[in-house]
């Protein structure tokens, strides 16, 4: 007898429906075909133990499990539950009242029949709805994540017996329903950190506000303990709230990577990722034999913070160059390729030299001649070219640290950022793939960032006197456009240009003396 149901495989951030077919006939062996990996093949042992524990048996017949399409590689342990249900139906040990073929079924079995959570539930639920399935049967820990998708019955089950009794009609399981919009808006601004907790550093807060308003990348350079990491952690609190579409995109990526955890739902706050400097190339941009999203994709629609930038491997930093431009990363293998979105803001920090005290107002640098320049050269020119704001961070004085002067809250700063982003949304209406000033190509910069004669003279003088490199020109114009947006003006004034020029520290030819 033939039994059939459906599962799914996740490739990139999208799912493909997989047909699970089982036949039981003459013979004594168990066969699994359809390009399964080791974890899928091992399901025979888990299924057999679960059936025995639940009072059933693995049929002493020739059992063939086919996972179609047969030319797509299947990986993971999530096919255990559909295989177990099909084995019972094919061997005529049960009679199902509900049709297995109307549902997508996924779940990893423990040896006692309990279900363990799986990865990639959200893209599977989206694909199941798209293909017109009635429902999705899955472990209870993943149910809230899947319930984000409406018009699909989400059936949460604790163990194999729950699933069996549901299909036999012996047990009614109410589909889980989640109010996605209520869930999304209730958690949107629930951040633990706040700029109100930061004493002093007004110039750095201003730079962070400009970066958030225009989507600009930032590098902070300063001595240890000056507050670089603390400021970076607070940047997501002033970014505009995510749209529902952005939240779904972000949740899909975290779901595929298995980073949501049990009972997780929609990711409604902008992600903040801060990988350690020992990270490998594949872990940063994504990859592996079966490609998984890397840190740059997990930071999609949020912030990627690279602390101590020169300590990262040169190769790991260089592979970020293309994703910074394209806002996506493509990972190709011999037979197929996957694409992960990677639209993130890069915030990085570094010490000015190996000892950390070059240009420090109080402490003396002990680095030898040429050491400072050699240290700065660890960060390549092409990578710096993609960073709009270079900010020098100076230590906070004792009086500032102990002062009671109230600092501006993240909420107040976010309101200004949102207004500036609204102006950019109007400006780039109809321009595909451009949502903020930082995304403007060179040709668009010339059209949109027009400056008056006085501004031209200032920019020319600054480039000559400060020794600014040619790559700084476009960046200064983009940042000055954002500063003008924050000021609520259409015209880029001379004061906006002057402020933008000071954010190009590392472009000065004599910076490291």
């Amino acid at each position: 007898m033939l039994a059939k149901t459906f599962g799914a495989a996740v490739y990139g951030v999208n799912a493909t429906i997989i047909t699970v077919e089982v036949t039981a006939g003459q013979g004594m062996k168990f066969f699994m075909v359809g390009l399964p990996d080791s974890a899928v093949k091992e399901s025979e042992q888990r299924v057999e133990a679960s059936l025995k524990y639940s009072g059933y048996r693995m049929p002493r017949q020739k059992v063939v499990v086919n996972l179609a399409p047969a030319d797509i590689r299947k990986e993971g342990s999530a096919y255990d539950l559909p295989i177990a249900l099909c084995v019972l139906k094919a061997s005529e040990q049960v009679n199902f009242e509900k049709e297995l073929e109307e549902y997508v079924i996924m779940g990893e079995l423990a040896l006692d029949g309990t279900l363990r959570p799986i990865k990639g539930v959200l893209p599977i639920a989206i694909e199941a709805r798209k293909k017109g399935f009635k429902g999705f049967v899955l472990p209870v820990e993943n149910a809230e994540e899947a319930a984000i998708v409406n018009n699909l019955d989400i059936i949460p089950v604790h163990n194999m017996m729950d699933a069996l009794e549901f299909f036999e009609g012996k047990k009614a399981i109410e589909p889980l329903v989640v109010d996605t919009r209520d869930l999304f808006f209730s958690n949107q601004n629930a951040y633990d950190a706040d700029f109100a907790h930061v004493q002093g550093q007004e110039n750095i807060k201003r730079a962070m506000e400009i970066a958030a308003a225009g989507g600009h990348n930032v590098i902070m350079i300063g001595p240890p303990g000056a507050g670089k990491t603390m400021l970076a952690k607070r940047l997501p609190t002033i970014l505009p709230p995510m749209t529902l579409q952005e939240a779904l995109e972000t949740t899909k990526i975290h779901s595929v990577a298995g980073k949501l955890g049990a009972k997780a739902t929609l990711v409604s706050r902008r992600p903040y990722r801060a990988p350690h400097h020992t990270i490998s190339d594949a872990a940063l941009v994504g990859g592996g034999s079966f490609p998984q999203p890397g840190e740059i994709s997990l930071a999609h629609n949020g912030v990627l913070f690279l602390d101590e930038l020169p300590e990262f491997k040169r190769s790991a930093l260089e592979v970020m160059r293309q994703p910074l431009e394209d806002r996506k990363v493509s990972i190709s293998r011999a037979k197929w390729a996957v694409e992960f979105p990677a639209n993130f803001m890069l915030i990085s920090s570094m010490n000015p030299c190996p000892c950390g005290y070059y240009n420090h107002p109080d402490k003396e640098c002990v680095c030898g001649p040429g050491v400072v320049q050699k240290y700065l050269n660890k960060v390549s020119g092409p990578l710096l070219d993609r960073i709009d704001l270079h900010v020098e961070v100076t230590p906070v004085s004792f009086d500032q640290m102990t002062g009671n002067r109230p600092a501006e809250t993240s909420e107040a700063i976010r309101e200004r950022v949102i207004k500036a982003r609204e102006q950019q949304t109007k400006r780039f209406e109809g321009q595909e793939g451009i949502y903020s000033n930082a995304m403007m190509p060179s040709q668009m910069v010339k059209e949109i960032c027009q400056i008056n004669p006085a501004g031209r003279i200032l920019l020319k003088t600054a480039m000559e006197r400060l020794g600014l490199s040619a790559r700084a020109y476009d960046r200064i114009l983009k940042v000055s456009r954002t500063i003008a947006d924050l000021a609520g003006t259409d015209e880029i004034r001379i004061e906006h240009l002057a402020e933008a020029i000071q954010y190009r520290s590392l472009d000065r030819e004599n910076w490291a003396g």
Side-chain angles (χ1 to χ4, degrees), residues 31-36 64-68 70 74:
F31 295 94
M32 188 174 289
V33 296
L35 217 59
V64 179
V65 178
N66 179 39
L67 304 174
K74 325 299 182 308

Side-chain angles (χ1 to χ4, degrees), residues 264-336:
T265 53
L266 201 63
V267 174
S268 53
R269 289 182 291 176
R270 292 195 179 272
Y272 172 84
R273 305 293 300 181
H276 192 258
H277 63 257
T278 54
I279 192 169
S280 68
D281 304 8
L284 186 63
V285 297
S289 56
F290 199 92
Q292 289 287 297
E295 288 291 333
I296 64 171
S297 293
L298 291 169
H300 180 62
N301 291 322
V303 174
L304 177 71
F305 177 51
L306 301 184
D307 200 5
E308 305 300 342
L309 193 66
E311 302 302 328
F312 282 79
K313 284 193 301 180
R314 181 80 174 229
S315 60
L317 293 178
E318 295 310 301
V319 292
M320 279 205 313
R321 280 157 52 179
Q322 188 183 2
L324 276 168
E325 289 288 328
D326 298 343
R327 313 276 170 174
K328 63 185 178 183
V329 58
S330 300
I331 299 163
S332 301
R333 295 290 175 264
K335 292 185 178 178
W336 41 269

Side-chain angles (χ1 to χ4, degrees), residues 180-435:
T180 309
R181 290 188 177 276
D182 182 56
L183 189 75
F184 173 63
F185 290 114
S186 63
N187 296 327
Q188 207 169 39
N189 298 320
Y191 290 100
D192 297 327
D194 197 292
F195 270 103
H197 305 149
V198 182
Q199 293 296 327
Q201 301 291 25
E202 298 305 322
N203 61 324
I204 318 300
K205 289 180 189 175
R206 171 66 176 170
M208 289 293 187
E209 182 181 338
I210 294 165
H216 301 288
N217 300 323
V218 181
I219 184 166
M220 293 180 282
I221 181 163
K228 302 185 292 290
T229 305
M230 180 177 67
L231 287 155
K233 280 182 180 174
R234 282 158 174 75
L235 181 62
T237 67
I238 63 170
L239 287 169
M242 281 207 286
T243 64
L244 198 52
Q245 183 60 39
E246 284 177 329
L248 281 166
E249 283 176 6
T250 307
T251 309
K252 271 173 78 173
I253 296 165
H254 285 247
S255 174
V256 168
K259 303 289 184 185
L260 286 178
K263 305 281 186 184
T265 53
L266 201 63
V267 174
S268 53
R269 289 182 291 176
R270 292 195 179 272
Y272 172 84
R273 305 293 300 181
H276 192 258
H277 63 257
T278 54
I279 192 169
S280 68
D281 304 8
L284 186 63
V285 297
S289 56
F290 199 92
Q292 289 287 297
E295 288 291 333
I296 64 171
S297 293
L298 291 169
H300 180 62
N301 291 322
V303 174
L304 177 71
F305 177 51
L306 301 184
D307 200 5
E308 305 300 342
L309 193 66
E311 302 302 328
F312 282 79
K313 284 193 301 180
R314 181 80 174 229
S315 60
L317 293 178
E318 295 310 301
V319 292
M320 279 205 313
R321 280 157 52 179
Q322 188 183 2
L324 276 168
E325 289 288 328
D326 298 343
R327 313 276 170 174
K328 63 185 178 183
V329 58
S330 300
I331 299 163
S332 301
R333 295 290 175 264
K335 292 185 178 178
W336 41 269
V338 296
E339 199 173 85
F340 293 113
N343 182 15
F344 61 94
M345 276 180 67
L346 174 64
I347 308 298
S348 50
S349 73
M350 61 182 285
N351 293 332
C353 64
C355 81
Y357 296 108
Y358 180 76
N359 272 355
H360 194 282
D362 303 317
K363 297 185 181 179
E364 194 174 334
C365 174
V366 295
C367 299
V371 173
V372 177
Q373 189 60 55
K374 187 180 177 184
Y375 185 74
L376 293 175
N377 285 345
K378 286 185 177 182
V379 183
S380 71
L383 183 62
L384 279 178
D385 192 21
R386 289 158 173 82
I387 299 176
D388 297 346
L389 296 162
H390 304 166
V391 188
E392 288 185 64
V393 184
T394 52
V396 179
S397 68
F398 180 80
D399 290 340
Q400 284 178 313
M401 273 192 291
T402 55
N404 293 321
R405 184 182 167 193
E408 198 172 23
T409 64
S410 291
E411 191 177 350
I413 301 170
R414 192 194 303 119
E415 284 174 12
R416 294 197 296 270
V417 168
I418 291 168
K419 282 181 184 173
R421 285 285 183 114
E422 283 169 357
Q423 283 184 263
Q424 291 164 54
T425 302
K426 288 176 187 172
R427 181 180 301 135
F428 302 122
E429 205 170 354
Q431 299 285 345
E432 194 176 340
I434 300 174
Y435 312 106

